[in-house]
Amino acid sequence: QGVFMAMKDMILSETVMILSRTSIRGRLYQLVALVVVPFAAYIGLSLYRESQQLIADTQQANRVLAEMTAANLKQSLDEVILMGTELAKRTELSPHWTPECNRLLADFKQLHVGFSAASFTDAEGIHRCSSNAGDKPPAPTVLTDTEWFQRIKAEKRPVISQPYMGRILKTWL
């Protein structure tokens, strides 16, 4: 709007100088100025209002999208926590390795393709079985120093960890 005001002032000062002339040319300049200035101001104001409306519409659409994404993420996390809680109740997950434990986790991973792996770590932080181990016990791995294990011990509930490089699979989890 400041640009339009400066433009208007400049054109008005030119108009005053032109008005002092009495020629036909001066009168034509006056007529053009009287038509062009309001028209240019109207177009500029219309463009400004449209851009402000577009910004407001975009912000509203982004808010709706963020709310939907948050709701979907919460639902997905709730489902993962429920699956983990139900899985932990299975008798195949015991403090000692059994082939059934690996098979149960392999079946779980196959049913839930969003998981890269499923594993069972006991309350002491010892990795007991894995969906990727087949019929062999996984390599003994102590995970008590990991961020996710420390959070589980502190919060006493299932947690979703930050991405980390897995010690067993050597992939990002």
Side-chain angles (χ1 to χ4, degrees):
Q1 287 177 343
V3 171
F4 293 116
M5 295 303 289
M7 231 170 78
K8 182 187 90 170
D9 290 344
M10 182 183 74
I11 291 173
L12 286 177
S13 66
E14 289 290 321
T15 304
V16 168
M17 287 176 40
I18 292 171
L19 287 176
S20 62
R21 299 182 191 151
T22 57
S23 69
I24 292 178
R25 183 179 199 180
R27 298 290 181 200
L28 283 174
Y29 281 136
Q30 180 184 11
L31 183 60
V32 168
L34 290 174
V35 171
V36 170
V37 169
F39 184 69
Y42 173 77
I43 289 175
L45 186 58
S46 295
L47 289 173
Y48 175 76
R49 284 183 181 160
E50 284 180 29
S51 68
Q52 292 302 309
Q53 185 61 45
L54 182 62
I55 290 169
D57 292 346
T58 303
Q59 288 172 338
Q60 178 61 29
N62 286 341
R63 272 191 289 283
V64 169
L65 182 60
E67 289 169 1
M68 288 173 48
T69 301
N72 288 340
L73 181 60
K74 182 188 180 321
Q75 181 180 359
S76 295
L77 292 176
D78 289 345
E79 289 172 5
V80 167
I81 289 171
L82 179 63
M83 284 186 275
T85 303
E86 291 299 315
L87 192 59
K89 293 177 185 176
R90 300 291 298 262
T91 57
E92 294 92 339
L93 297 177
S94 69
H96 306 287
W97 178 82
T98 63
E100 292 81 21
C101 182
N102 284 358
R103 283 194 284 272
L104 173 70
L105 294 176
D107 290 345
F108 177 82
K109 180 184 152 195
Q110 191 173 19
L111 287 173
H112 305 287
V113 295
F115 291 93
S116 61
S119 63
F120 172 66
T121 303
D122 67 16
E124 285 74 45
I126 299 171
H127 180 70
R128 294 292 181 188
C129 58
S130 172
S131 61
N132 297 339
D135 285 335
K136 297 176 275 193
T141 307
V142 179
L143 302 168
T144 54
D145 61 334
T146 61
E147 175 264 342
W148 60 266
F149 187 81
Q150 291 174 7
R151 282 183 52 210
I152 288 172
K153 291 299 268 187
E155 298 175 23
K156 306 278 192 252
R157 65 178 183 87
V159 299
I160 305 297
S161 72
Q162 296 295 320
Y164 65 96
M165 178 63 74
R167 294 181 189 174
I168 298 163
L169 295 176
K170 306 294 186 226
T171 60
W172 283 100
L173 302 170

